[in-house]
């Protein structure tokens, strides 16, 4: 039972090392007792876990020192540790041949296995190479790489020498990469010659060159280039160096920096409701513990498991569930370089069969895409190794839940729909762990993880009590994995998460709590949208469009999309001076092009509607509510438009929308 953690506290690390993973799990314990203890005495609960699960150089003094009103979050102060040692060295020491990563490259069956011993050596060599080039504790390093063992080793190398990694998803454009490098003032970039996804090559090194062009990023002194395809890339001396060559010049061991619990571990940029992405900052011990413990308990992780998180390492899911979580728990993590439909929609399940995957963790948008391709792509492969089917990123609709459960999981596997955010560091709501006998409920992430106290509030911040109610989802009390700041902008951190409802963490999501007290997420309540599992600020897309020479003003909203979750709909007003140089199709194409170059192709609006005006209040505020309704085809239900400065503009927008939809239908009809 949960007292186990209390009795073991203080017995030291020898005890914890000799125990098996499952004896460290909450799953066999009385859930109500664990949960009550975790929320009544979080300091004790997390403090005991931290003593038990982390190898410390120096023990911490205070488990918890948090003030939610002030947005001051500190865990395990006084403690010293190294995260890389905790996720690699401890396993390499016990069993260097145990497999840390199975790299499933873009071509099915093109696989490389990396043992914990090999991984330790790579992380050490990269750590030494970074140090040799003057990268020190606290310096930021941007990583713009394909999902690969060397990308993971680069992240771990940073952790080892105390540098702060900032992984930028290798689908972002040069300009988006540049903005992130500049905001973090990164001293080095680690990239690859090219990326390969779904059979297509992505010229990563030249994108990095473009990002750094013309001295745009004066802090960057070094660029390390991993060889992925071996294509001939331009190397600029002395700035650029081949990663593998730099590694081979270094010794295979590297002293690990002794980090304070609250030193930065990494930055990860994510979208908010204004144009500028925010560098979410995570620190060492709290993140490590929270990620490790949630990964283990939500997915019932046992020794020998082969865990496949198919998310890119450029997102938080990849950080916590392809890298830190599985390695902390000493299991094997599949690094998936490809996409769910390459070379065909059976890819996931063929891989599951070949690698004997025990847990798969994917996104609803991928499932919906696969559902469309039919069940035969699933059924022809043996999925008997699977126990848990995980999902994250957006609401898992009931239909997709049932498909996952029956077709993929043969009603044998547990579907675990996890709700969390880049800012939370780890899983917050999940059907597991749960009281014995609790059945997962389609469409519901359901239950708070031990130590997490969710609540619903109304727009005045008053708590909505009872069940069968909806409201804004907040969290009361701190947890170890939560973000500590927005890099370089603590005010924005406070304004976004702590000031809206004082004393609480505000998630930006709405939620419903059903009669059983189980949570379902109803979606974002701010101007953040979720497209194909990618989080985007509508303001980011707007500011990209605004830079188009013909655009006077743009307003972007999300609309329900049957596969992508949400699609992007842009309303655009052209400048008065606009003189058509081509057809309207050409203009729209060039607008889409600008979004691709400013952010990345995943942010390109599916629909662009050119309009003479936007619905604005007399004070000039765009009424997005109306734009969302039109985009969702709910033109008969626009609500009160009497406060608009020019109500006629709504009629114009409606008729243009209807027209555009007809044209699209016609175009699609022709294609089929
Ligand atoms: C937003 C966070 C955490 C990893 C992936 C996304 C939405 C996430 C769920 C879920 C409904 C979900 C929320 C959240 N979201 N998981 N299981 N059900 N919505 O991380 O990019 O930081 O996005 O994703 O809206 O706020 P992220």
């Amino acid at each position: 039972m949960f007292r186990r953690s209390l009795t073991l506290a203080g017995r030291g690390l020898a005890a914890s090392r000799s125990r098996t993973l499952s004896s460290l799990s909450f799953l066999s314990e009385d859930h109500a007792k664990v949960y009550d203890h975790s929320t009544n005495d979080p300091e004790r609960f997390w403090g005991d876990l931290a003593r038990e699960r982390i190898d410390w150089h120096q023990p911490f003094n205070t488990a918890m020192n948090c003030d939610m009103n002030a947005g001051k979050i500190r865990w395990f102060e006084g403690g010293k540790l190294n995260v890389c040692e905790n996720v690699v060295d401890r396993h390499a020491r016990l069993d260097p041949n145990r497999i840390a990563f199975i790299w499933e490259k873009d071509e099915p069956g093109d696989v490389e296995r990396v043992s914990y011993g090999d991984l330790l050596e790579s992380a050490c060599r990269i750590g030494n190479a970074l140090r040799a080039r003057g990268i020190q504790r606290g310096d930021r390093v941007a990583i713009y790489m394909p999902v690969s063992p060397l990308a993971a080793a680069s992240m771990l190398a940073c952790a080892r020498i105390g540098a702060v990694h900032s992984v930028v998803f290798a689908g972002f454009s040069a300009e988006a990469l540049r903005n992130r490098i500049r905001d973090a003032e990164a001293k080095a970039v680690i990239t690859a010659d090219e990326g390969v996804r779904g059979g297509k090559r992505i010229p990563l090194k030249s994108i990095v060159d473009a990002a750094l062009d013309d001295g745009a990023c004066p802090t960057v002194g070094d660029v390390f280039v991993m060889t992925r395809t071996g294509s001939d890339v331009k190397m600029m001396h002395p700035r650029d160096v081949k990663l593998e060559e730099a590694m081979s010049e270094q010794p295979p061991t590297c002293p690990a920096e002794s980090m304070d619990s609250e030193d930065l571990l990494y930055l990860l940029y994510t979208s908010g409701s204004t144009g500028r992405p925010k560098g979410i900052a995570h620190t060492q011990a709290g993140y490590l513990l929270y990620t490790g413990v949630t990964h283990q308990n939500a997915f019932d992780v046992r020794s020998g498991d082969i865990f496949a998180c198919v998310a890119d390492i450029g997102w938080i899911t990849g950080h916590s569930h392809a890298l830190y979580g599985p390695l902390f728990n000493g299991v094997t993590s599949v690094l998936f370089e490809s996409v769910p439909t390459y070379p065909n929609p059976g890819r996931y399940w063929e891989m599951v069969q070949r690698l004997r995957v025990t847990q798969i963790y994917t996104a609803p948008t991928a499932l919906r895409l696969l559902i469309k391709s039919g069940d035969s792509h699933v059924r022809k492969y043996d999925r008997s190794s699977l126990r848990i089917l995980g999902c994250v990123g957006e609401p898992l609709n009931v239909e997709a839940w049932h498909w996952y459960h029956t077709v993929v999981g043969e009603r044998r596997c547990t579907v675990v729909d996890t709700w969390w955010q880049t800012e939370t560091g780890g899983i917050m709501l999940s059907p597991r762990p749960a009281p014995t006998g609790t059945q997962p409920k389609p469409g519901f992430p359901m239950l708070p993880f031990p130590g997490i106290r969710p609540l619903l509030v109304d727009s005045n911040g008053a708590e909505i009590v009872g069940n069968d109610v909806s409201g804004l989802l907040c969290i009361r009390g701190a947890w170890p994995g939560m973000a500590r700041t927005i890099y370089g902008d603590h005010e924005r951190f406070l304004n976004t998460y702590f000031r809206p409802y004082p004393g609480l963490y505000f998630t930006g999501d709405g939620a419903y709590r059903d009669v059983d007290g189980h949570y379902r997420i109803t979606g974002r309540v701010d101007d953040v949208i979720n497209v194909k599992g990618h989080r985007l600020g509508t303001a980011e897309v707007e500011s990209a469009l605004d830079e188009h020479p013909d655009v006077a003003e743009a307003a972007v909203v999300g609309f329900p999309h049957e596969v992508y979750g949400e699609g992007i709909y842009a309303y655009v007003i052209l400048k008065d001076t606009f003189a058509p140089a081509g057809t309207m199709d050409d203009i729209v194409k060039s607008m889409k092009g600008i979004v691709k170059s400013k952010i990345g192709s995943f942010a390109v609006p599916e629909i662009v509607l050119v309009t003479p005006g936007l619905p604005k209040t007399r004070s000039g505020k765009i009424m997005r509510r109306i734009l969302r309704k039109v985009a969702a085809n709910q033109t008969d239900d626009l609500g009160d438009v009497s406060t608009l400065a020019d109500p006629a503009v709504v009629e114009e927008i409606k008729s243009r929308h209807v027209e555009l939809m007809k044209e699209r239908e016609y175009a699609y009809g022709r294609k089929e």
Side-chain angles (χ1 to χ4, degrees):
M1 60 164 229
F2 72 89
R3 290 289 150 195
R4 164 193 52 76
S5 49
L6 307 185
T7 49
L8 281 169
R11 268 216 252 149
L13 297 164
S16 80
R17 284 209 197 94
S18 62
R19 276 171 306 120
T20 61
L21 247 190
S22 47
S23 78
L24 291 164
S25 147
F26 300 147
L27 297 176
S28 53
E29 302 178 21
D30 179 334
H31 184 269
K33 267 195 193 154
V34 174
Y35 188 76
D36 289 349
H37 168 56
S38 72
T39 48
N40 292 337
D41 195 353
E43 182 148 11
R44 188 85 189 260
F45 176 76
W46 293 115
D48 288 337
L49 277 171
R51 272 184 285 270
E52 190 178 314
R53 298 292 318 265
I54 291 177
D55 281 358
W56 295 94
H57 293 173
Q58 179 183 301
F60 54 90
N61 310 319
T62 356
M64 182 180 180
N65 176 12
C66 303
D67 178 350
M68 295 285 275
N69 275 303
K72 187 189 88 177
I73 315 295
R74 312 240 166 91
W75 286 89
F76 315 120
E77 276 178 320
K80 288 189 188 296
L81 75 161
N82 186 278
V83 168
C84 179
E85 282 183 344
N86 270 278
V87 300
V88 186
D89 301 44
R90 67 193 327 188
H91 311 301
R93 217 178 296 129
L94 285 175
D95 181 4
N97 296 323
R98 187 190 298 173
I99 300 301
F101 292 128
I102 302 178
W103 186 21
E104 170 81 8
K105 295 195 231 179
D106 196 44
E107 291 303 325
D110 189 1
V111 163
E112 279 179 28
R113 288 183 163 75
V114 180
S115 69
Y116 276 92
D118 296 338
L119 178 61
L120 177 58
E121 182 173 333
S122 300
C124 284
R125 288 182 186 274
I126 300 173
N128 289 330
L130 289 168
R131 274 187 179 144
R133 291 230 170 179
I135 310 296
Q136 295 173 355
R137 178 182 177 132
D139 289 340
R140 275 80 54 215
V141 174
I143 296 180
Y144 187 69
M145 296 175 88
V147 173
S148 55
L150 280 185
S154 298
M155 295 161 78
L156 294 166
C158 289
R160 191 165 196 89
I161 67 166
V164 179
H165 60 72
S166 169
V167 181
V168 179
F169 170 57
F172 275 112
S173 68
E175 188 161 338
L177 172 63
R178 179 192 304 151
N179 291 338
R180 285 158 179 74
I181 292 173
R182 287 171 64 100
D183 188 82
E185 298 173 301
K187 278 183 100 171
V189 180
I190 311 179
T191 188
D193 47 6
E194 291 182 307
V196 195
R197 278 188 106 205
K200 291 195 202 96
R201 293 183 172 209
I202 308 138
L204 299 181
K205 172 62 165 61
S206 22
I207 297 173
V208 170
D209 289 342
L212 303 180
D213 199 22
D214 280 342
C217 304
T219 53
V220 174
D222 302 278
V223 176
F224 296 86
V225 186
M226 170 182 105
T227 299
R228 172 62 185 89
T229 62
S231 97
D232 198 15
V233 293
K234 201 171 73 199
M235 298 292 279
M236 276 165 53
H237 299 284
R239 187 194 73 181
D240 299 347
V241 55
K242 297 261 188 197
L243 180 63
E244 292 84 348
E245 279 171 24
M247 288 170 71
S248 68
E249 288 162 8
Q250 297 295 330
T253 58
C254 167
E257 198 76 24
S258 200
M259 304 303 289
D260 292 330
S261 293
E262 284 298 343
D263 282 336
L264 288 179
L265 175 63
Y266 68 80
L267 305 179
L268 186 56
Y269 284 82
T270 190
S271 297
S273 40
T274 64
R276 249 184 72 226
K278 11 183 202 192
I280 298 297
H282 285 290
T283 56
Q284 313 269 332
Y287 172 78
L288 175 68
L289 182 72
Y290 193 71
T291 291
V293 171
T294 48
H295 173 260
Q296 180 199 350
N297 287 277
F299 300 120
D300 179 23
V301 171
R302 306 175 194 167
S303 305
D305 274 353
I306 298 182
F307 188 92
C309 164
V310 293
D312 197 283
I313 48 152
W315 311 112
I316 188 79
T317 310
H319 281 56
S320 297
H321 295 281
L323 182 62
Y324 289 112
L327 297 197
F328 186 63
N329 291 318
V331 297
T332 297
S333 168
V334 175
L335 296 177
F336 182 66
E337 189 183 36
S338 195
V339 295
T341 48
Y342 184 76
N344 60 58
R347 178 61 185 269
Y348 280 174
W349 324 116
E350 185 272 325
M351 176 179 84
V352 163
Q353 168 182 298
R354 185 165 30 81
L355 304 179
R356 303 296 297 161
V357 169
T358 44
Q359 293 99 335
I360 186 161
Y361 195 24
T362 183
T365 185
L367 295 176
R368 287 191 297 261
L369 193 66
L370 299 181
I371 289 172
K372 280 171 58 133
S373 312
D375 301 353
S376 62
H377 290 288
V378 186
R379 295 201 201 272
K380 66 175 165 220
Y381 301 107
D382 173 10
R383 284 108 55 224
S384 60
S385 57
L386 283 172
R387 298 198 314 272
I388 304 274
L389 306 173
C391 210
V392 65
E394 40 171 328
L396 176 60
N397 48 305
V398 172
E399 187 203 347
W401 190 98
H402 282 295
W403 185 81
Y404 209 15
H405 185 239
T406 27
V407 178
V408 176
E410 304 167 302
R411 298 179 192 277
R412 185 178 38 78
C413 304
T414 311
V415 174
V416 177
D417 173 6
T418 60
W419 172 85
W420 55 296
Q421 309 176 296
T422 306
E423 295 87 338
T424 69
I427 293 166
M428 301 290 280
L429 297 175
S430 161
R432 292 287 181 272
T436 319
T438 309
Q439 290 306 315
K441 201 181 266 181
F444 285 73
M446 287 177 80
L447 291 164
F449 194 79
I452 302 304
R453 287 189 287 159
L455 72 157
L456 301 177
V457 302
D458 65 21
S459 52
N460 299 317
E463 179 169 3
I464 302 170
V465 293
N467 285 339
D468 192 18
V469 289
S470 295
L472 304 168
L473 180 63
C474 291
I475 312 291
R476 176 173 282 142
W479 64 97
M482 68 195 294
R484 303 300 197 259
T485 192
I486 291 174
Y487 189 70
D489 200 349
H490 198 63
E491 272 298 297
R492 187 174 178 197
F493 183 65
L494 300 177
N495 287 335
T496 311
Y497 306 109
F498 296 98
R499 288 190 181 137
Y501 306 106
L504 305 174
Y505 167 83
F506 175 49
T507 64
D509 279 317
Y512 165 69
R513 187 169 54 226
D514 75 356
V515 288
D516 302 320
H518 296 152
Y519 289 87
R520 178 161 66 80
I521 305 300
T522 48
R524 299 288 307 194
V525 295
D526 52 12
D527 292 321
V528 169
I529 53 176
N530 213 314
V531 185
K532 300 187 200 169
H534 298 320
R535 174 167 157 184
L536 262 179
T538 52
E540 275 172 84
V541 184
E542 285 165 9
S543 44
L545 287 168
D546 284 343
E547 291 193 34
H548 190 284
D550 298 326
V551 171
E553 191 172 6
V556 170
V557 296
F559 68 97
H561 191 291
E562 63 166 35
V563 175
Y564 302 162
E566 280 181 288
I568 309 174
Y569 194 126
Y571 297 85
V572 175
I573 306 179
L574 297 175
K575 282 186 183 154
D576 290 345
T577 52
F578 165 70
T583 64
M584 202 42 101
D585 276 357
D586 295 333
I587 310 290
V588 167
K589 221 181 251 164
S590 74
M591 287 181 197
K592 291 184 174 181
I594 206 155
V595 178
K596 187 173 170 190
S597 73
K598 299 266 164 201
I599 308 175
S601 46
F602 63 90
V604 170
E606 178 152 332
I607 301 178
V608 177
L609 184 91
V610 175
T611 166
L614 290 166
K616 290 188 181 171
T617 60
R618 289 190 188 90
S619 59
K621 199 169 171 324
I622 298 173
M623 281 182 87
R624 287 165 189 282
R625 177 177 60 80
I626 292 175
L627 298 178
R628 279 191 211 108
K629 288 262 182 188
V630 172
N633 269 329
Q634 295 168 350
T635 44
D636 298 334
D637 173 28
L638 295 183
D640 183 13
V641 296
S642 62
T643 55
L644 289 179
D646 176 15
V649 81
V650 175
E651 288 310 312
E652 184 62 33
I653 286 179
K654 267 163 64 174
S655 69
R656 288 191 183 214
H657 168 80
V658 170
E659 201 52 41
L660 187 64
M661 290 301 114
K662 272 196 212 136
E663 279 169 27
R664 281 170 60 84
E665 236 166 65
Y666 177 65
Y668 281 127
R670 251 190 338 199
K671 260 187 231 153
E672 277 165 12

